């Protein structure tokens, strides 16, 4: 049986000591009520907030954006422009906060880092054979080390969904542990590890809960819904299940783990729905870019347009902000 929310998990090594013990633990987690989860997510999505709170929510959401470009046609020029935008999303308004990070392929890390410097905007790199996660372990680790050596502050790894769905939980656990070790940077802070589940391929909410606990047991700093390459990507019910998992993990261990929904979040209205859910499900401690992020490429522009509307009373033209 899984521990109660107040249990002492200092003996977690026993849980992960073998395939059978890990399977027993994960399958002992309480099942997710699909109807209940979807109904609660729908209910939370109807909450409205006042204008003053909306202004604060828009600024908070901007600080949580991992501004992302993960295309085969990415160029150094595009990455430099994206990094500049992350630092100054609205060059005409110095009160506009910066984004959290720029997320790129490993070969673009050095380019992004060159622009961002010590601005406080992080460089995140996808790794471990993104987006499929299907590669030999030495290749996955080399991919990670290359990104870290190039200056990545954060690594977004993808799990082997085939292994997870086949019940090879210990293999997935050990891969996450190994990738976290590859995030080490002697002499300075290690890169933080975000673990991508690709929830659109996991079939059930029970699997989302299990993989959330699996990743947290393995040392993930963040758990992330999707690569953005598979549909459905982030959804409110899936994110709700993940927020419940991090809340319960903190209650059980005292350790906080972040959550990153990614893919398909395009509007300010959507972003605010997620922020309401974070507050209601996990709690206000997660309303911080250290603990909640949006993986997005187009969301930032809508946040900026809505912000300008609140400030000036009129919408900006569609060409006012750069297209990403």
């Amino acid at each position: 049986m899984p521990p109660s929310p107040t249990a002492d998990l200092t003996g977690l090594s026993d849980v992960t000591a073998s395939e059978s013990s890990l399977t027993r633990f994960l399958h002992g987690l309480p099942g997710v009520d699909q109807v209940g989860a979807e109904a609660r997510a729908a209910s939370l999505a109807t909450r409205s907030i006042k204008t003053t709170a909306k202004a604060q929510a828009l600024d908070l959401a901007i600080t949580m954006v991992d501004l992302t470009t993960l295309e085969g046609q990415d160029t150094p020029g595009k990455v430099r422009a994206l990094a500049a935008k992350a630092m100054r999303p609205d060059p005409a308004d110095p009160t506009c906060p910066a984004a959290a990070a720029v997320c790129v392929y490993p070969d673009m890390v050095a380019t992004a880092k060159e622009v961002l410097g010590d601005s406080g905007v992080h460089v995140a790199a996808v790794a471990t054979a993104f987006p499929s996660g299907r590669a030999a372990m030495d290749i996955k680790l080399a991919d990670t080390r290359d990104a870290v050596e190039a200056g990545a502050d954060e690594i977004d790894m993808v799990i082997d969904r085939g292994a997870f769905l086949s019940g090879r939980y210990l293999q997935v656990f050990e891969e996450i542990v190994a990738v976290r070790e590859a995030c080490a940077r002697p002499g300075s802070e290690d890169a933080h590890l975000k673990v991508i589940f690709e929830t659109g391929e996991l079939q059930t909410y029970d699997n989302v809960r299990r993989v959330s606990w699996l990743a947290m047991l393995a040392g993930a700093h963040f758990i992330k819904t999707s690569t953005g390459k598979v549909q459905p990507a982030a959804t409110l019910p899936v994110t709700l299940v993940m927020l419940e998992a991090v809340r319960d993990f903190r209650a059980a261990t005292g350790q906080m783990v972040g959550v990153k929904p990614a893919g398909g979040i395009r509007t300010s209205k959507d972003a605010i729905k997620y922020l309401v859910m974070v507050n209601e499900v996990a709690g206000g401690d997660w309303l911080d870019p250290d603990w909640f992020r949006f993986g997005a490429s187009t969301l930032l522009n809508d946040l900026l347009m809505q912000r300008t509307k609140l400030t000036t009373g009129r919408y900006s033209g569609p060409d006012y902000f750069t297209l990403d």
Side-chain angles (χ1 to χ4, degrees), residues 49 51-65 86 89-90 93-100 268 271-272 275 287-289 292 294 299-300 302-308 310-311:
I49 60 177
T51 301
T52 51
K54 184 177 181 181
Q56 294 173 342
L58 292 174
D59 277 5
L60 179 60
I62 289 170
T63 70
M64 293 174 164
V65 170
D90 184 353
D93 184 356
T95 70
C96 182
S268 301
I272 290 172
L275 294 182
L287 288 174
D288 185 291
F292 192 79
F294 295 105
L299 172 62
L300 182 57
D302 195 70
L303 291 168
L304 294 172
M305 287 190 287
Q306 293 296 331
R307 190 177 188 275
T308 302
L310 286 180
T311 303

Side-chain angles (χ1 to χ4, degrees), residues 63-319:
T63 70
M64 293 174 164
V65 170
D66 282 3
L67 195 55
T68 302
T69 184
L70 297 170
E71 303 296 335
Q73 61 186 349
D74 287 343
T75 63
K78 180 180 181 182
V79 170
R80 289 189 188 99
L82 203 69
K85 181 172 182 176
M87 289 190 293
R88 291 289 301 277
D90 184 353
D93 184 356
T95 70
C96 182
V102 172
C103 186
V104 294
Y105 277 113
D107 64 318
M108 290 293 175
V109 167
T111 299
K113 197 71 177 177
E114 179 185 357
V115 177
L116 295 171
D118 59 359
S119 66
V121 177
H122 300 299
V123 178
V126 296
T128 66
F130 179 95
S132 70
R134 306 303 291 263
M137 196 60 201
D138 58 344
I139 293 174
K140 293 181 180 183
L141 295 177
D143 198 23
T144 303
R145 292 189 188 105
D146 285 348
V148 172
E149 288 173 7
D153 304 295
E154 302 168 0
I155 295 294
D156 290 31
M157 72 166 285
V158 285
I159 66 163
D160 182 337
R161 281 84 74 190
F164 178 83
L165 291 170
S166 299
R168 302 198 305 275
Y169 301 135
L170 194 60
Q171 176 184 329
V172 179
F173 173 86
E174 290 174 345
E175 286 194 359
I176 296 171
V177 170
V179 174
R180 172 154 175 172
E181 290 173 353
C183 289
R185 201 184 339 251
S188 59
E189 185 178 0
D190 295 349
H192 281 201
L193 179 62
K194 305 193 199 88
V195 179
I196 308 171
F197 302 150
E198 201 67 280
T199 51
E201 294 182 345
L202 294 188
Q203 304 169 0
T204 68
Y205 294 131
D206 284 348
N207 276 339
V208 173
R209 177 168 284 173
R210 288 168 187 154
V211 78
S212 295
W213 274 84
L214 176 61
M216 292 187 292
L217 290 171
H221 294 101
F222 263 77
I223 53 176
K224 177 178 172 182
T225 61
S226 322
T227 64
K229 306 297 185 182
V230 171
Q231 297 299 322
T235 68
L236 287 167
V238 157
T239 306
L240 181 143
V241 172
M242 292 167 61
L243 287 166
E244 289 178 339
V246 298
R247 175 200 66 198
D248 294 345
F249 188 78
R250 184 197 196 184
T253 68
Q255 299 173 20
M256 281 183 71
V257 175
V259 176
K260 178 179 172 180
I265 305 171
R266 297 184 175 88
T267 68
S268 301
K269 186 176 181 180
D270 288 340
I272 290 172
K273 289 177 182 177
Y274 279 92
L275 294 182
V276 169
M277 178 176 288
V278 171
N279 188 60
E280 293 294 323
V281 177
D285 286 350
W286 271 268
L287 288 174
D288 185 291
D290 283 345
W291 302 111
F292 192 79
R293 299 280 184 87
F294 295 105
S297 57
T298 59
L299 172 62
L300 182 57
N301 272 9
D302 195 70
L303 291 168
L304 294 172
M305 287 190 287
Q306 293 296 331
R307 190 177 188 275
T308 302
K309 170 65 164 58
L310 286 180
T311 303
T312 67
R314 60 184 184 277
Y315 282 108
S316 306
D319 58 351

